[in-house]
Amino acid sequence: MLGIRCLLACALVAGADLDKDRNLLGFCETADQDCHSHDDTVWDNKRQTNAARARLDVNSANHTHQLGSFRVSCKKLLEAFPVDEVDGNFVRTVKNCIFSKSTPTPLKGSLTLATVSKNVIEDILDLDVNAIQSDDFLQYASGSKLLPGSIPLAHRYGGHQFGYWAGQLGDGRAHFLGQYTNSKGEIWELQLKGSGKTPYSRSGDGRAVIRSSVREFLGSEAMHSLGIPTSRAASLIVSEEPVLRDQFYNGKVKKERGAVVLRLAKSWFRIGSLEILAQAGEIDLLRKMLDFVIAEHFPSVNMNDPDKYLVFFSMVVNETAHMIAQWMSVGFAHGVCNTDNFSLLSITIDYGPFGFMESYDPNFIPNTSDDEGRYRIGAQANVGLFNLEKLLGALGPVLTVKQLQGAKTVLKGFADLYQKRFHQIFKAKLGLRGDEEEDEYLIAYLLKMMEDTRSDFTMTFRQLSEASVQQLDSRDFTQMWALNDLSSHNLFSEWLSMYLLRHGRQDDDCDEDRQHRMKSVNPRYVVRNWMAESAIRKAEVNDFSEVELLYHVLTSPYITQETAEEAGYAARPPLWAQRLKVSCSS
Ligand code: AMP
Ligand code: MG
C-alpha cells in the first residue's frame, strides 16, 4: 500500500527533482525575408465568403451588437503604464515601459474565416453571429483593419525558458487590440496572435501557421468547456501568405500558410511580465504593474494592506496549484511551461505543443522539442513550483524581509495545496463522496494499473462512469475498450472489489447518481492529437468542416454525441496516431 502511495506522490504530485542542466530552448524558426517583410503589402481585398458562416446556427435575438457599434478601449492600460518611447516594428531592447505601440501587419492574399467560437462571439463579445459574416470582421480579426478605439500594443515581458533566464521576450507575434467591457460588466483583453512583427520578434517572422493556430483555437475552447481556467479564442482566420517552417527542426523547411487567432483573456500579464521589470531594476514600474494587477484582478486584496503583495503572491500560489491539478485531471500537458507562458491570473495561456495524454504515462512529453522531458506531464506541479519561485524572485524588491519569509512559507505549502486539490478532483472522478482513509490508495492503485496496462486516461475514467454497478460487478468489458485494457491487470479485480465496496458504503447514493456525477467530470472527448491533425490536414486545403465539427463536439465534452461517435472521437485512437509528433514550431 505504501509503495503505491509513494508512486502517486513521485509520479504525479511532487514530480522528480528539477533538472537544472537543460539547454535554453526558445523558439527557433527559420526566418525568410520573403515571408516576413510585408510592411508595404497591398493585401488582396477579394475576401472569401466561406461555407462555415452559412453553417452557423444563427440566433440573433439575444445579442446586442452588430459589428458597427463594437468598440474597444486601450485607455485604462495606456493611462496606467508608460509606453515605449521608440516607434516602429523593428527589433530592439526595450526599457522602462510595459508596452510598445505596434501595428499589425496585414496578411497577404485572400483571407478566409475558418471558424469562430459561437460561445465567445455571443457570450463574451455580445455580438450577433450574423456580424461575423461581414468583411469588416474578417479584417478586424486578422489585423488588416483596426477596431474602433484600438491602439494596438505589444507587451514587453521576459521569462525563464527551460529553466534559464532568457532575457527580453515579449509579444513577438501578438498584438493587444484593446479591452472590451461586455454586457455582463466583464473586461476582456482582445489580442491577435500571428499578426506580424513587433519590437519583440527577435529572429521570428511574427507569424503563426495554420496547424498551430487550429490547435490554439481548439485547445483553448476545449479547455474552457472542460471547466479549466484558460484564455479563449474567438476566431481563426487563414491566409494565403507563405510562412516557412522547419516543423521538426530537421532541416526540412516547408512552405505553410499564415493564420491569425483572435484570442481573449481577462489579462495577458504573465510571471515574465514582472520578471523583466525586476531583472531590469525598474522597481517603480514593477510596483505599478503589481498594483494594477491586484486592483483589477484580485478584488479581495485590500490595496491599503501593507502586506498586499504577499497576499497577492499567496493567491497566485493557490490558484496555480489548482490550475495544474485541473490540468492533471484531464491529462493535459501544456508542453512549454516557461515563466513567460504562466499567467498571473493562473489561467492556461499560450497553447503550443500541448497534448492530452492518451495511454496513461507520467512521463508523457507532448512536445518533441523537449528532449529531456522537462515539461513531461508528471513534472508539471514541480515546474509550477519552479515558476512560482521565479515569481517570488521578481517580487523580492518590493517585499520586506519579513514578507519575503512569509512568501517562502507560502511556497512551502504549494505541494500540499496541489495534493489536496488533486485528491479532491480525482475523488470526484471516481464518484467518491465523503472522506475515507483508503481513498488516496484507491486513486493511486488505479493510476498504477493504468500505467502498467497503458490504459487510455480519458476513456478509462469515462467508462468507469458509464458502466453500471452490475456491469462492473460482472467484469464484462467487451464493449468498453479502455476498461477492457485496464482489466488485463492482475490486480484489477481486487481494486474493483474495493471500489465497489467503497461505493456500497455511500448510503445516500444510488448507481444512477454516481454515474451522473462521474459523467459530469469525466469527459468523453478531448483534443487528441490525431483528431486535431486530421482537422488540420483538411484545414490546410481550405476544408474547415472538421475544425468546426471538433469545436462543436469539444464544447460539450461530457455529453455523448452522435456525430462524435461516428467520427470515432471516443474510440481507440487509430494506429497512425502513434506516429504523430508535435514540436515547438508554430
Ligand atoms: P512561445 O514559445 O510561443 O511562447 O514564444 C516564446 C517567445 O517567442 C515569445 O516572445 C513569442 O512572441 C516569440 N515568438 C514565437 N514565435 C515567433 C515568431 N514566429 N515570430 C516572432 N516571435 C515569435
Ligand atoms: Mg508564449
Side-chain angles (χ1 to χ4, degrees):
M1 177 155 157
L2 213 87
I4 289 175
R5 272 215 181 119
C6 175
L7 189 125
L8 175 72
C10 296
L12 287 167
V13 181
D17 279 351
L18 285 164
D19 180 355
K20 309 249 194 260
D21 301 319
R22 201 164 303 274
N23 289 327
L24 190 145
L25 217 161
F27 78 93
C28 37
E29 303 297 4
T30 311
D32 182 277
Q33 285 306 313
D34 285 338
C35 66
H36 64 82
S37 49
H38 30 243
D39 283 356
D40 55 354
T41 302
V42 180
W43 66 94
D44 187 350
N45 266 326
K46 192 170 59 68
R47 312 290 178 187
Q48 291 186 13
T49 325
N50 102 53
R53 297 171 180 175
R55 283 195 296 276
L56 279 161
D57 170 21
V58 176
N59 168 15
S60 55
N62 303 327
H63 303 286
T64 46
H65 292 306
Q66 289 298 321
L67 202 52
S69 54
F70 189 86
R71 56 178 301 117
V72 293
S73 169
C74 299
K75 207 164 160 241
K76 200 178 241 174
L77 288 166
L78 287 177
E79 278 177 6
F81 301 117
V83 169
D84 185 3
E85 284 174 356
V86 184
D87 260 342
N89 278 340
F90 63 93
V91 174
R92 58 187 178 269
T93 301
V94 179
K95 296 274 183 204
N96 300 309
C97 70
I98 305 295
F99 293 106
S100 299
K101 286 189 181 157
S102 172
T103 309
T105 307
L107 281 152
K108 284 178 185 158
S110 63
L111 300 174
T112 305
L113 179 65
T115 194
V116 297
S117 165
K118 193 168 176 282
N119 292 346
V120 172
I121 296 289
E122 293 185 345
D123 301 341
I124 297 182
L125 296 177
D126 300 321
L127 284 169
D128 184 319
V129 282
N130 280 314
I132 60 145
Q133 300 199 27
S134 65
D135 189 53
D136 275 351
F137 183 81
L138 205 53
Q139 298 200 37
Y140 290 140
S142 63
S144 299
K145 193 168 149 183
L146 290 182
L147 280 164
S150 176
I151 299 171
L153 305 169
H155 173 41
R156 169 191 177 221
Y157 59 80
H160 277 83
Q161 295 190 317
F162 288 82
Y164 294 90
W165 175 243
Q168 176 179 299
L169 298 167
D171 288 332
R173 52 172 168 172
H175 290 88
F176 163 80
L177 297 179
Q179 293 183 320
Y180 174 67
T181 307
N182 72 13
S183 55
K184 300 180 192 107
E186 301 164 342
I187 303 175
W188 288 87
E189 294 186 357
L190 275 62
Q191 194 192 68
L192 298 178
K193 181 169 176 181
S195 42
K197 285 199 199 179
T198 76
Y200 307 98
S201 298
R202 296 178 291 155
S203 58
D205 56 12
R207 293 303 186 203
V209 292
I210 293 178
R211 64 186 152 75
S212 65
S213 306
V214 166
R215 287 171 55 84
E216 169 121 24
F217 180 89
L218 291 175
S220 48
E221 287 307 279
M223 287 288 269
H224 170 74
S225 298
L226 289 166
I228 299 172
T230 176
S231 61
R232 304 294 303 275
S235 62
L236 165 69
I237 290 171
V238 304
S239 78
E240 301 287 325
E241 179 166 316
V243 175
L244 298 185
R245 289 290 182 267
D246 181 356
Q247 191 179 348
F248 299 111
Y249 304 112
N250 59 3
K252 292 189 182 151
V253 177
K254 239 181 67 186
K255 195 160 87 178
E256 301 192 42
R257 283 193 287 146
V260 177
V261 173
L262 169 60
R263 52 183 203 169
L264 291 84
K266 297 273 176 74
S267 168
W268 287 103
F269 288 149
R270 306 124 192 275
I271 292 181
S273 307
L274 295 170
E275 278 182 291
I276 196 148
L277 303 176
Q279 293 269 355
E282 297 168 23
I283 309 308
D284 286 345
L285 213 42
L286 175 69
R287 231 179 245 112
K288 208 174 243 190
M289 177 176 275
L290 277 165
D291 287 342
F292 180 88
V293 170
I294 295 170
E296 292 293 316
H297 304 288
F298 293 78
S300 65
V301 182
N302 178 354
M303 293 306 290
N304 297 318
D305 181 349
D307 287 332
K308 64 185 170 186
Y309 301 141
L310 175 59
V311 180
F312 159 76
F313 180 68
S314 70
M315 290 174 84
V316 180
V317 170
N318 194 54
E319 290 308 314
T320 301
H322 287 189
M323 177 186 74
I324 299 174
Q326 283 178 283
W327 288 359
M328 300 304 286
S329 78
V330 293
F332 175 82
H334 180 284
V336 196
C337 298
N338 295 331
T339 56
D340 51 301
N341 290 337
F342 256 51
S343 147
L344 289 177
L345 305 194
S346 308
I347 60 172
T348 316
I349 56 166
D350 283 14
Y351 289 80
F354 69 87
F356 282 85
M357 173 171 64
E358 298 189 341
S359 295
Y360 180 83
D361 177 9
N363 290 318
F364 167 61
I365 307 163
N367 174 8
T368 51
S369 319
D370 181 5
D371 302 325
E372 292 168 50
R374 177 181 169 87
Y375 297 137
R376 65 190 180 277
I377 196 164
Q380 291 188 124
N382 233 15
V383 164
L385 179 61
F386 175 89
N387 290 349
L388 291 165
E389 278 166 10
K390 298 300 161 201
L391 172 61
L392 179 54
L395 296 185
V398 298
L399 297 177
T400 63
V401 174
K402 196 164 161 239
Q403 286 166 341
L404 191 61
Q405 248 356 84
K408 282 183 182 160
T409 309
V410 165
L411 212 46
K412 284 200 185 113
F414 174 83
D416 212 35
L417 286 168
Y418 172 76
Q419 283 176 30
K420 279 204 178 99
R421 189 80 171 114
F422 181 94
H423 180 69
Q424 198 183 28
I425 298 176
F426 275 78
K427 251 180 58 189
K429 282 175 80 69
L430 284 177
L432 307 180
R433 277 178 164 171
D435 275 314
E436 288 199 13
E437 217 182 305
E438 68 174 30
D439 290 350
E440 196 180 331
Y441 178 56
L442 263 181
I443 298 166
Y445 196 153
L446 173 62
L447 294 179
K448 171 70 180 130
M449 287 190 307
M450 286 168 66
E451 185 181 354
D452 290 347
T453 54
R454 296 193 60 79
S455 301
D456 187 82
F457 181 78
T458 304
M459 286 309 282
T460 300
F461 279 101
R462 181 67 187 190
Q463 290 176 347
L464 273 176
S465 324
E466 290 173 345
S468 65
V469 162
Q470 282 95 325
Q471 259 175 305
L472 292 171
D473 233 349
S474 68
R475 276 119 169 109
D476 175 13
F477 303 118
T478 39
Q479 300 300 314
M480 296 190 160
W481 61 274
L483 278 189
N484 201 37
D485 290 351
L486 183 73
S487 67
S488 67
H489 199 280
N490 58 354
L491 295 175
F492 175 72
S493 208
E494 194 184 304
W495 178 84
L496 193 56
S497 302
M498 279 172 53
Y499 179 62
L500 291 172
L501 279 173
R502 171 68 172 85
H503 271 290
R505 290 195 292 275
Q506 295 184 166
D507 293 339
D508 55 343
D509 205 8
C510 69
D511 200 34
E512 217 172 280
D513 283 355
R514 172 195 68 87
Q515 285 181 295
H516 180 74
R517 272 199 319 276
M518 287 176 69
K519 281 195 269 188
S520 68
V521 292
N522 289 309
R524 194 168 163 86
Y525 314 111
V526 291
V527 197
R528 295 173 187 267
N529 271 347
W530 75 267
M531 286 155 56
E533 180 65 21
S534 170
I536 289 164
R537 283 181 195 171
K538 287 192 176 152
E540 283 174 340
V541 291
N542 290 337
D543 172 358
F544 306 108
S545 56
E546 216 162 294
V547 177
E548 267 194 71
L549 171 65
L550 268 177
Y551 165 74
H552 285 289
V553 168
L554 294 166
T555 49
S556 303
Y558 299 105
I559 295 167
T560 303
Q561 299 161 54
E562 214 177 303
T563 44
E565 297 302 306
E566 278 164 14
Y569 292 163
R572 192 186 286 285
L575 277 179
W576 62 267
Q578 289 169 13
R579 294 191 299 274
L580 284 176
K581 288 184 184 160
V582 182
S583 76
C584 261
S585 156
S586 57

